[in-house]
Amino acid sequence: MERDISRYRWLGTLNVDDQFGNWKVSAVNRFVSDAFILFNDNLSIRDENRLFLAAESAGGRTIVPTVHGTLGWYSLSRVFNASAAVGMRFRASPEITIEPRLGASVDSRPGASVAGDPAPLRTDAGPSVGGIVRFENSPAEDWQVAASGGGSWKSLAPRQATDVLLQGSAIRSNENLNFSTSLYVSSVRRDSYQAVSFLNRSEQGATSESVEATRSDTLLVSGNLRTAIARDLSASSLVRLGVNRRTVRTSRAPDEALFFDTDFTRRSVDLEFDLNYRRKRIDATVGVKGGVQNEERLLANREDLSPAQASQKTDLLRQADFDQGFLELHGRTVASPLRFLILNIDGAASILRHDTPAINPDDRDEQLLTGRVGVQLRFSQHLSTDFSFFVSRYETVYIKAERSAENNVQRALRFRPAVTWTPSEKTRIRLTSEVRATYTVDDFVLPGRAPRDQSARELRYEADLEHNLPSRLRLTARATISDLRLGRFLDAAFAEIPFDTLVTTSSWLQLHSTGRLKASVGVRTFIRSDYNQSTSVRYTPRAADGSPLLDSNGSPIVSTITRPGRERISQLGPTASLSWPLRHRTELIFEGWFVVQRITQELYGSLPEEQSETIRRAADRGRRTIIPNLTMTAIWRF
């Protein structure tokens, strides 16, 4: 059970893997229930349950009877489905196993709502057939080949459900060569009830129910080769090919009904090639990778629609089409020229081209340059340091004039030094600081518009402490301080005009018990101070004698004032956890944290003179909220 701010969740999982008589049974049942508190304190409940069952006879050798079943229930969508099948698994040869199956299925789900009435439930049932085939050769052969395939067909008249899956792999490996390839092919069809409208709109928006069949076919092929070129030099390459085609077809609809059948196709090819040089004190890799991807959507029943309807739907589909190409050069080096010194250097340069049809202005090019230099120094077994310097440049250029004003370049610098001190076996301290600067500059500014160039600079400190105490106790502490300053950036003068400062501090102190009973107690704090151009304060106006002003009903008047100001969020609360192993491999786990949150404001500028003191007191008092969170878990292993 989990209790969050506005959600209660219950999770239940039952796993069975046992033998009952001559039958081996394996079952998994997963149950999830969520209760959400929505706006106006409305409660929404969502329940889902899924069951998978498999059983086989333990007495057979050549022919083994099997039983398979599934069950699913989803409360929000009002969907229930179940299937059961019996099969016979027999070994046709030492490498091939065949298992045909025969069964039945039932599926219940909402139909289409007609004339605003609640959607009725449609329950369909019928027979199902299927089976699986597996192949695996002897491990002693040079090529390790494994393949499996299966499928099922369910007749849920007037609907159908089809699943076909084929996957295989081949591997060959020796001292100088490692080659592997894999194949994945699937085809899935699902039918659902849909509402269709009629072209004759004079019939008060008449609708009818149809069956929409969605079929998705997927092909994935990959090949990986690694070979030694010289004593310390090796090469590796990877090729991936993917194709997905999804079709939507409508059946059982009247001739005058309005519906859209669509075709979707995605194709992708990815290539990678790396050279690796490895010796005792150096490991270096350089490589290139790239790929192309294409997505295309078509209207399949264009001839059955009016020219206006066909043109409108075709343009809507084409807006999401694109062709994309990607190329990257990268390198990485890890060197240890001295026993106490480790150097890490890596970098990459990539370019992406995203081409869209004329109707879509998202046609763009993207360029990314990244680099990192890291130095690790180990002075002794007790003291070590590491310094990392990061740099990046990201540029986006929109090709079409409609969005060319969004062209921009973002440059980022980051320096992160750290010190790790281990004064004894019981104590470990790590101190880290970070300086980050990011500058975003537009290519040009449209006439009449203000510049949008921005800068972001952050100074951050982190401290981690871990100390082992007697009696299997351990103390941990973590604290962070961050000062983030945002401003309007003046590129020509390399200066800025600040417009926001966000200061964040947090800490967490915990005491852990590491014995058989694992437990922890602690306290956590969080404070954030942020400038806001529109800070609002709710207050009750006061008369000259200090009494609240009342409305015509005799209730205190509540007013709101908005000014530039600073908002401060403070959180404080205890934390606790408990892991309690009981007898018979049973375990109880509790985790909880209690947060007391207070939000206060400080307004800048002038205030109404007669109410200024009242407004300031209301801003200082702020809003107080209590947020309890709890997680309880019980595990039984029979």
Side-chain angles (χ1 to χ4, degrees):
M1 191 276 288
E2 296 179 2
R3 197 289 191 199
D4 291 333
I5 298 176
S6 60
R7 184 196 68 173
Y8 295 84
R9 163 168 282 196
W10 292 265
L11 300 164
T13 302
L14 174 65
N15 294 275
V16 177
D17 191 1
D18 207 345
Q19 184 167 337
F20 301 90
N22 291 329
W23 287 87
K24 294 180 180 178
V25 178
S26 176
V28 178
N29 188 88
R30 296 186 177 93
F31 172 76
V32 179
S33 179
D34 288 316
F36 296 92
I37 301 176
L38 304 177
F39 300 103
N40 299 324
D41 292 332
N42 292 329
L43 184 65
S44 176
I45 298 177
R46 177 184 63 188
D47 296 332
E48 295 183 2
N49 190 85
R50 300 186 68 185
L51 170 66
F52 303 90
L53 171 68
E56 64 180 51
S57 175
R61 294 186 177 180
T62 305
I63 299 179
V64 179
T66 62
V67 177
H68 299 269
T70 62
L71 182 147
W73 172 59
Y74 311 89
S75 65
L76 280 186
S77 56
R78 301 162 60 201
V79 172
F80 171 83
N81 52 56
S83 64
V86 295
M88 288 290 180
R89 185 171 69 242
F90 62 94
R91 188 175 292 276
S93 69
E95 295 85 9
I96 301 176
T97 302
I98 302 175
E99 181 183 340
R101 297 173 184 173
L102 178 64
S105 300
V106 60
D107 186 281
S108 178
R109 65 185 60 224
S113 176
V114 179
D117 296 333
L121 286 177
R122 299 284 189 246
T123 301
D124 303 320
S128 65
V129 296
I132 59 173
V133 178
R134 294 190 180 92
F135 171 84
E136 187 171 359
N137 66 340
S138 173
E141 299 184 18
D142 295 336
W143 284 90
Q144 299 300 308
V145 180
S148 63
S152 65
W153 176 81
K154 302 174 183 178
S155 176
L156 303 169
R159 298 182 293 131
Q160 294 182 15
T162 306
D163 293 273
V164 177
L165 174 63
L166 172 64
Q167 53 187 355
S169 64
I171 301 174
R172 182 166 183 175
S173 179
N174 54 40
E175 294 182 357
N176 298 320
L177 177 69
N178 189 317
F179 174 78
S180 64
T181 182
S182 63
L183 171 69
Y184 176 92
V185 180
S186 70
S187 179
V188 178
R189 171 178 170 173
R190 293 291 183 268
D191 293 3
S192 60
Y193 290 104
Q194 298 290 337
V196 293
S197 59
F198 291 88
L199 293 174
N200 188 355
R201 298 293 181 174
S202 64
E203 298 183 12
Q204 298 181 354
T207 58
S208 179
E209 187 177 78
S210 66
V211 174
E212 185 179 86
T214 302
R215 177 174 174 175
S216 179
D217 300 327
T218 304
L219 169 65
L220 299 174
V221 181
S222 67
N224 193 334
L225 174 65
R226 183 177 181 85
T227 181
I229 300 177
R231 179 181 177 182
D232 302 317
L233 185 65
S234 62
S236 62
S237 60
L238 174 66
V239 179
R240 284 190 299 263
L241 169 67
V243 179
N244 176 255
R245 185 173 186 268
R246 186 173 66 246
T247 62
V248 177
R249 296 293 183 268
T250 304
S251 60
R252 298 187 66 212
D255 294 337
E256 65 273 22
L258 177 65
F259 58 90
F260 304 100
D261 290 342
T262 58
D263 293 338
F264 166 82
T265 305
R266 176 190 290 132
R267 310 173 187 90
S268 64
V269 178
D270 296 296
L271 303 172
E272 296 182 20
F273 179 79
D274 288 323
L275 285 175
N276 178 257
Y277 177 79
R278 178 177 296 180
R279 297 198 68 177
K280 183 178 180 180
R281 293 186 176 274
I282 187 170
D283 185 356
T285 300
V286 294
V288 58
K289 66 179 180 180
V292 294
Q293 185 175 342
N294 164 265
E295 285 190 8
E296 184 179 14
R297 295 155 180 83
L298 299 174
L299 185 62
N301 64 329
R302 185 185 183 97
E303 295 77 9
D304 301 331
L305 302 173
S306 65
Q309 288 284 350
S311 177
Q312 181 183 13
K313 189 65 175 181
T314 298
D315 291 343
L316 184 63
L317 292 173
R318 282 180 53 81
Q319 285 187 8
D321 292 350
F322 68 86
D323 296 315
Q324 183 171 285
F326 171 77
L327 179 64
E328 176 187 281
L329 302 175
H330 57 265
R332 178 186 62 85
T333 301
V334 179
S336 179
L338 302 173
R339 296 183 59 182
F340 60 89
L341 175 64
I342 298 177
L343 299 177
N344 292 273
I345 303 174
D346 57 69
S350 64
I351 187 169
L352 180 143
R353 182 167 186 175
H354 188 86
D355 295 330
T356 59
I359 196 173
N360 186 353
D362 195 31
D363 198 351
R364 67 186 187 275
D365 291 345
E366 300 177 10
Q367 183 191 68
L368 176 63
L369 304 174
T370 61
R372 180 179 74 96
V373 177
V375 179
Q376 299 180 24
L377 297 172
R378 187 175 183 87
F379 300 103
S380 68
Q381 61 179 348
H382 303 292
L383 182 63
S384 64
T385 63
D386 59 83
F387 304 88
S388 296
F389 181 77
F390 304 83
V391 60
S392 67
R393 182 184 186 275
Y394 178 69
E395 182 176 7
T396 304
V397 177
Y398 289 93
I399 308 303
K400 294 185 172 64
E402 296 92 322
R403 298 190 62 182
S404 60
E406 301 178 40
N407 297 350
N408 64 78
V409 178
Q410 184 183 90
R411 302 176 181 89
L413 301 172
R414 187 157 62 100
F415 178 58
R416 187 179 176 86
V419 177
T420 302
W421 182 36
T422 310
S424 67
E425 295 181 355
K426 297 181 178 181
T427 306
R428 179 180 178 273
I429 301 173
R430 181 174 176 84
L431 303 176
T432 305
S433 62
E434 180 177 312
V435 179
R436 178 176 64 89
T438 302
Y439 305 97
T440 303
V441 179
D442 290 339
D443 280 357
F444 59 89
V445 179
L446 292 176
R449 292 189 182 182
R452 301 181 306 172
D453 300 347
Q454 289 190 11
S455 64
R457 296 181 293 113
E458 182 181 17
L459 177 62
R460 183 181 181 89
Y461 298 99
E462 300 176 4
D464 292 275
L465 167 66
E466 183 175 338
H467 180 68
N468 294 322
L469 299 172
S471 303
R472 295 184 177 180
L473 296 178
R474 181 167 55 92
L475 180 68
T476 62
R478 178 178 175 83
T480 62
I481 301 175
S482 172
D483 187 316
L484 175 62
R485 303 189 179 189
L486 306 177
R488 176 188 163 192
F489 183 56
L490 306 177
D491 189 23
F494 197 74
E496 68 176 10
I497 303 175
F499 61 76
D500 195 3
T501 300
L502 179 65
V503 180
T504 305
T505 62
S506 63
S507 64
W508 194 358
L509 177 66
Q510 287 181 290
L511 181 63
H512 305 265
S513 172
T514 58
R516 180 176 179 270
L517 181 65
K518 297 180 175 61
S520 70
V521 293
V523 61
R524 185 167 57 182
T525 65
F526 176 83
I527 301 175
R528 188 183 74 178
S529 176
D530 186 17
Y531 174 80
N532 192 341
Q533 287 277 8
S534 302
T535 303
S536 298
V537 175
R538 292 169 58 88
Y539 68 99
T540 300
R542 301 281 176 172
D545 59 357
S547 61
L549 299 181
L550 307 179
D551 58 15
S552 59
N553 298 324
S555 301
I557 297 175
V558 179
S559 300
T560 302
I561 186 171
T562 301
R563 292 286 190 276
R566 181 166 291 278
E567 187 172 72
R568 188 173 187 267
I569 300 176
S570 304
Q571 294 181 349
L572 172 66
T575 66
S577 67
L578 174 65
S579 178
W580 189 6
L582 302 176
R583 296 182 178 179
H584 306 296
R585 299 187 297 172
T586 301
E587 186 175 4
L588 298 178
I589 303 173
F590 300 89
E591 294 181 357
W593 54 100
F594 188 85
V595 178
V596 179
Q597 177 177 281
R598 187 183 178 194
I599 301 177
T600 59
Q601 297 92 6
E602 179 185 358
L603 299 183
Y604 300 152
S606 61
L607 299 175
E609 184 177 351
E610 64 278 4
Q611 299 294 334
S612 59
E613 189 63 28
T614 301
I615 295 173
R616 289 192 178 94
R617 283 200 302 265
D620 292 339
R621 185 172 58 252
R623 304 186 302 272
R624 185 172 179 269
T625 308
I626 295 178
I627 308 171
N629 299 276
L630 178 65
T631 299
M632 297 187 297
T633 305
I635 301 174
W636 294 275
R637 298 181 179 90
F638 303 104

